[in-house]
Amino acid sequence: RLRSAALTDTLTGLPNRRFAMRRLQQAWESSSRTGQPLSIVMVDIDEFKRINDTAGHDAGDALLQTVAERLRGALRPGDLIARMGGDEFAVLLTRLPDAEALQPILMRITDQLHAPFSHAGRPLECRASIGVALYPDHGADDVALFKHADIALYHAKNNGRGRAILFQPHLLDSWERETAMLDRARHILSHEQPCPWYQPKISLQDGGIIGFEALFRCPVADGSVIMPGDIARAFEHPELGPALTERMVERV
């Protein structure tokens, strides 16, 4: 019972993150010997926090249990489904004859998850973003495969949600650029002093100055200036964006 409790998610009855990562490593070791493809599919429920906030945590828990059940119904016997934590699930697909065999499975997952859902008589939207990585095309080992599936999920969530995206190398480049922007913005908030540079607003009637626009700039010690485009992704971030705005308002 203790072993089961350590490897099982109590809410959904699915294997937990620890068990899933162990199985992924074992599956990769087997595939690296046989050459048979395997895939890791990351699933994240869209707008889950909003459902919790508006419909209550009972509704959120019911949705998680429903997603678990729908994933079971969409997959083949022997496929691994795990709850990784929060509203994130992982699916490990082995016994794939080729990459093309992945498509009908993804279609079944999407169709099942996007079916209508209601709790206590209240209809709630059930949609999910999905990121997929395939071995050996998208990672030389289990660690890289999991990372690349997570990056594909990140792009699915940030490009419209409710869709499945298969990892591609350019997604990694984009993710690294965005991560660097966010890291740079965090450094600015902690160690630098962003300040407004004022651009005059000119009346076209008489050429007089009628106001100013405050533009974000951050001079640094080496004499360069960090421009808004250098941290563009941070302005859309749910935490960094408001923090940067508040800092600018204070400086104005």
Side-chain angles (χ1 to χ4, degrees), residues 3-20 43 63-73 75 79-86 88-91:
R3 186 181 301 110
S4 176
L7 300 174
T8 304
D9 173 59
T10 55
L11 178 65
T12 62
L14 295 176
N16 62 14
R17 183 186 185 92
R18 180 184 299 176
F19 185 87
V43 179
L63 179 56
L64 292 171
Q65 292 169 332
T66 298
V67 167
E69 192 59 36
R70 289 179 176 181
L71 286 172
R72 290 188 186 100
L75 297 170
D79 290 334
L80 174 72
I81 312 164
R83 184 184 176 200
M84 304 301 280
E88 191 171 81
F89 295 79
V91 175

Side-chain angles (χ1 to χ4, degrees), residues 102-143:
L102 193 58
Q103 293 306 316
I105 299 173
L106 293 177
M107 289 181 64
R108 289 200 305 271
I109 291 174
T110 302
D111 290 344
Q112 287 273 4
L113 293 183
H114 292 181
F117 170 77
S118 62
H119 176 72
R122 176 177 180 175
L124 297 171
E125 187 176 37
C126 179
R127 297 180 66 80
S129 299
I130 300 172
V132 188
L134 183 70
Y135 174 83
D137 297 359
H138 303 142
D141 55 37
D142 55 316
V143 175

Side-chain angles (χ1 to χ4, degrees), residues 53-65:
D53 291 344
T54 59
H57 288 274
D58 288 347
D61 288 348
L63 179 56
L64 292 171
Q65 292 169 332

